[in-house]
mmCIF file of all heavy atoms in Angstrom:
data_model
loop_
_atom_site.group_PDB
_atom_site.id
_atom_site.type_symbol
_atom_site.label_atom_id
_atom_site.label_comp_id
_atom_site.label_asym_id
_atom_site.label_seq_id
_atom_site.Cartn_x
_atom_site.Cartn_y
_atom_site.Cartn_z
ATOM 1 N N ALA R 144 -4.556 6.427 3.345
ATOM 2 C CA ALA R 144 -4.227 4.997 3.284
ATOM 3 C C ALA R 144 -4.850 4.323 2.074
ATOM 4 O O ALA R 144 -4.345 3.301 1.592
ATOM 5 C CB ALA R 144 -4.680 4.300 4.567
ATOM 6 N N LEU R 145 -5.943 4.893 1.557
ATOM 7 C CA LEU R 145 -6.603 4.285 0.398
ATOM 8 C C LEU R 145 -5.786 4.424 -0.880
ATOM 9 O O LEU R 145 -6.026 3.696 -1.843
ATOM 10 C CB LEU R 145 -7.981 4.920 0.180
ATOM 11 C CG LEU R 145 -8.980 4.840 1.342
ATOM 12 C CD1 LEU R 145 -10.338 5.390 0.907
ATOM 13 C CD2 LEU R 145 -9.116 3.414 1.852
ATOM 14 N N SER R 146 -4.836 5.345 -0.911
ATOM 15 C CA SER R 146 -4.046 5.541 -2.129
ATOM 16 C C SER R 146 -3.124 4.369 -2.416
ATOM 17 O O SER R 146 -2.651 4.214 -3.551
ATOM 18 C CB SER R 146 -3.232 6.839 -2.034
ATOM 19 O OG SER R 146 -2.228 6.745 -1.035
ATOM 20 N N ASP R 147 -2.879 3.530 -1.390
ATOM 21 C CA ASP R 147 -2.017 2.358 -1.593
ATOM 22 C C ASP R 147 -2.278 1.271 -0.559
ATOM 23 O O ASP R 147 -2.895 0.248 -0.873
ATOM 24 C CB ASP R 147 -0.545 2.771 -1.562
ATOM 25 C CG ASP R 147 0.418 1.612 -1.826
ATOM 26 O OD1 ASP R 147 -0.016 0.447 -1.908
ATOM 27 O OD2 ASP R 147 1.627 1.860 -1.953
ATOM 28 N N VAL R 148 -1.849 1.468 0.686
ATOM 29 C CA VAL R 148 -1.727 0.331 1.604
ATOM 30 C C VAL R 148 -3.043 -0.372 1.927
ATOM 31 O O VAL R 148 -3.072 -1.601 2.037
ATOM 32 C CB VAL R 148 -0.989 0.716 2.904
ATOM 33 C CG1 VAL R 148 0.479 0.971 2.615
ATOM 34 C CG2 VAL R 148 -1.630 1.922 3.572
ATOM 35 N N MET R 149 -4.129 0.392 2.098
ATOM 36 C CA MET R 149 -5.398 -0.274 2.389
ATOM 37 C C MET R 149 -5.874 -1.047 1.170
ATOM 38 O O MET R 149 -6.337 -2.182 1.289
ATOM 39 C CB MET R 149 -6.457 0.744 2.829
ATOM 40 C CG MET R 149 -7.779 0.095 3.263
ATOM 41 S SD MET R 149 -7.643 -1.025 4.669
ATOM 42 C CE MET R 149 -8.327 -2.536 3.987
ATOM 43 N N ALA R 150 -5.755 -0.452 -0.004
ATOM 44 C CA ALA R 150 -6.152 -1.153 -1.228
ATOM 45 C C ALA R 150 -5.253 -2.357 -1.472
ATOM 46 O O ALA R 150 -5.713 -3.395 -1.973
ATOM 47 C CB ALA R 150 -6.099 -0.198 -2.420
ATOM 48 N N THR R 151 -3.984 -2.245 -1.110
ATOM 49 C CA THR R 151 -3.057 -3.361 -1.311
ATOM 50 C C THR R 151 -3.373 -4.501 -0.339
ATOM 51 O O THR R 151 -3.363 -5.680 -0.722
ATOM 52 C CB THR R 151 -1.611 -2.890 -1.143
ATOM 53 O OG1 THR R 151 -1.316 -1.915 -2.161
ATOM 54 C CG2 THR R 151 -0.630 -4.042 -1.287
ATOM 55 N N GLY R 152 -3.664 -4.183 0.914
ATOM 56 C CA GLY R 152 -4.076 -5.217 1.858
ATOM 57 C C GLY R 152 -5.369 -5.885 1.429
ATOM 58 O O GLY R 152 -5.542 -7.104 1.573
ATOM 59 N N TRP R 153 -6.283 -5.087 0.863
ATOM 60 C CA TRP R 153 -7.543 -5.637 0.362
ATOM 61 C C TRP R 153 -7.285 -6.577 -0.811
ATOM 62 O O TRP R 153 -7.889 -7.657 -0.909
ATOM 63 C CB TRP R 153 -8.458 -4.493 -0.061
ATOM 64 C CG TRP R 153 -9.888 -4.881 -0.250
ATOM 65 C CD1 TRP R 153 -10.474 -5.336 -1.392
ATOM 66 C CD2 TRP R 153 -10.931 -4.855 0.737
ATOM 67 N NE1 TRP R 153 -11.809 -5.596 -1.192
ATOM 68 C CE2 TRP R 153 -12.118 -5.309 0.107
ATOM 69 C CE3 TRP R 153 -10.980 -4.489 2.080
ATOM 70 C CZ2 TRP R 153 -13.333 -5.398 0.786
ATOM 71 C CZ3 TRP R 153 -12.182 -4.577 2.757
ATOM 72 C CH2 TRP R 153 -13.345 -5.030 2.112
ATOM 73 N N HIS R 154 -6.375 -6.177 -1.681
ATOM 74 C CA HIS R 154 -6.036 -7.011 -2.840
ATOM 75 C C HIS R 154 -5.453 -8.346 -2.401
ATOM 76 O O HIS R 154 -5.751 -9.395 -2.988
ATOM 77 C CB HIS R 154 -5.041 -6.272 -3.733
ATOM 78 C CG HIS R 154 -4.753 -6.939 -5.031
ATOM 79 N ND1 HIS R 154 -5.731 -7.401 -5.878
ATOM 80 C CD2 HIS R 154 -3.565 -7.234 -5.646
ATOM 81 C CE1 HIS R 154 -5.176 -7.932 -6.959
ATOM 82 N NE2 HIS R 154 -3.869 -7.856 -6.829
ATOM 83 N N ALA R 155 -4.644 -8.323 -1.346
ATOM 84 C CA ALA R 155 -4.087 -9.580 -0.827
ATOM 85 C C ALA R 155 -5.196 -10.500 -0.356
ATOM 86 O O ALA R 155 -5.186 -11.710 -0.615
ATOM 87 C CB ALA R 155 -3.121 -9.289 0.319
ATOM 88 N N SER R 156 -6.169 -9.932 0.337
ATOM 89 C CA SER R 156 -7.265 -10.736 0.879
ATOM 90 C C SER R 156 -8.159 -11.280 -0.231
ATOM 91 O O SER R 156 -8.543 -12.455 -0.222
ATOM 92 C CB SER R 156 -8.082 -9.882 1.861
ATOM 93 O OG SER R 156 -8.914 -10.671 2.660
ATOM 94 N N VAL R 157 -8.493 -10.429 -1.197
ATOM 95 C CA VAL R 157 -9.315 -10.868 -2.331
ATOM 96 C C VAL R 157 -8.578 -11.937 -3.134
ATOM 97 O O VAL R 157 -9.153 -12.965 -3.513
ATOM 98 C CB VAL R 157 -9.681 -9.669 -3.225
ATOM 99 C CG1 VAL R 157 -10.317 -10.145 -4.533
ATOM 100 C CG2 VAL R 157 -10.629 -8.727 -2.494
ATOM 101 N N SER R 158 -7.304 -11.708 -3.398
ATOM 102 C CA SER R 158 -6.518 -12.653 -4.195
ATOM 103 C C SER R 158 -6.383 -14.000 -3.498
ATOM 104 O O SER R 158 -6.374 -15.054 -4.152
ATOM 105 C CB SER R 158 -5.120 -12.077 -4.478
ATOM 106 O OG SER R 158 -5.203 -10.894 -5.248
ATOM 107 N N ALA R 159 -6.280 -13.966 -2.172
ATOM 108 C CA ALA R 159 -6.137 -15.214 -1.410
ATOM 109 C C ALA R 159 -7.457 -15.963 -1.289
ATOM 110 O O ALA R 159 -7.466 -17.123 -0.860
ATOM 111 C CB ALA R 159 -5.583 -14.912 -0.023
ATOM 112 N N GLY R 160 -8.553 -15.305 -1.645
ATOM 113 C CA GLY R 160 -9.845 -15.975 -1.600
ATOM 114 C C GLY R 160 -10.491 -16.005 -0.233
ATOM 115 O O GLY R 160 -11.201 -16.961 0.106
ATOM 116 N N VAL R 161 -10.274 -14.969 0.571
ATOM 117 C CA VAL R 161 -10.923 -14.909 1.882
ATOM 118 C C VAL R 161 -12.438 -14.816 1.691
ATOM 119 O O VAL R 161 -12.935 -14.001 0.918
ATOM 120 C CB VAL R 161 -10.433 -13.696 2.689
ATOM 121 C CG1 VAL R 161 -11.220 -13.572 3.994
ATOM 122 C CG2 VAL R 161 -8.943 -13.825 2.992
ATOM 123 N N THR R 162 -13.165 -15.670 2.395
ATOM 124 C CA THR R 162 -14.626 -15.681 2.326
ATOM 125 C C THR R 162 -15.202 -15.795 3.737
ATOM 126 O O THR R 162 -14.469 -16.058 4.700
ATOM 127 C CB THR R 162 -15.146 -16.851 1.475
ATOM 128 O OG1 THR R 162 -14.645 -18.081 2.025
ATOM 129 C CG2 THR R 162 -14.704 -16.729 0.026
ATOM 130 N N THR R 163 -16.494 -15.623 3.836
ATOM 131 C CA THR R 163 -17.168 -15.725 5.122
ATOM 132 C C THR R 163 -16.925 -17.100 5.755
ATOM 133 O O THR R 163 -17.117 -18.133 5.106
ATOM 134 C CB THR R 163 -18.676 -15.508 4.952
ATOM 135 O OG1 THR R 163 -18.897 -14.204 4.408
ATOM 136 C CG2 THR R 163 -19.399 -15.625 6.287
ATOM 137 N N GLY R 164 -16.453 -17.076 6.988
ATOM 138 C CA GLY R 164 -16.213 -18.316 7.716
ATOM 139 C C GLY R 164 -14.865 -18.954 7.464
ATOM 140 O O GLY R 164 -14.554 -20.003 8.047
ATOM 141 N N SER R 165 -14.038 -18.355 6.618
ATOM 142 C CA SER R 165 -12.737 -18.949 6.291
ATOM 143 C C SER R 165 -11.699 -18.632 7.346
ATOM 144 O O SER R 165 -11.926 -17.823 8.256
ATOM 145 C CB SER R 165 -12.256 -18.437 4.929
ATOM 146 O OG SER R 165 -12.042 -17.032 4.965
ATOM 147 N N THR R 166 -10.536 -19.276 7.226
ATOM 148 C CA THR R 166 -9.391 -18.977 8.078
ATOM 149 C C THR R 166 -8.331 -18.291 7.234
ATOM 150 O O THR R 166 -8.173 -18.600 6.046
ATOM 151 C CB THR R 166 -8.809 -20.244 8.714
ATOM 152 O OG1 THR R 166 -8.428 -21.167 7.672
ATOM 153 C CG2 THR R 166 -9.826 -20.913 9.616
ATOM 154 N N ALA R 167 -7.614 -17.357 7.839
ATOM 155 C CA ALA R 167 -6.616 -16.589 7.097
ATOM 156 C C ALA R 167 -5.378 -16.368 7.938
ATOM 157 O O ALA R 167 -5.453 -16.237 9.163
ATOM 158 C CB ALA R 167 -7.196 -15.248 6.658
#
Side-chain angles (χ1 to χ4, degrees):
L145 302 186
S146 67
D147 182 353
V148 290
M149 185 61 236
T151 297
W153 195 271
H154 188 49
S156 195
V157 170
S158 297
V161 174
T162 57
T163 300
S165 63
T166 58

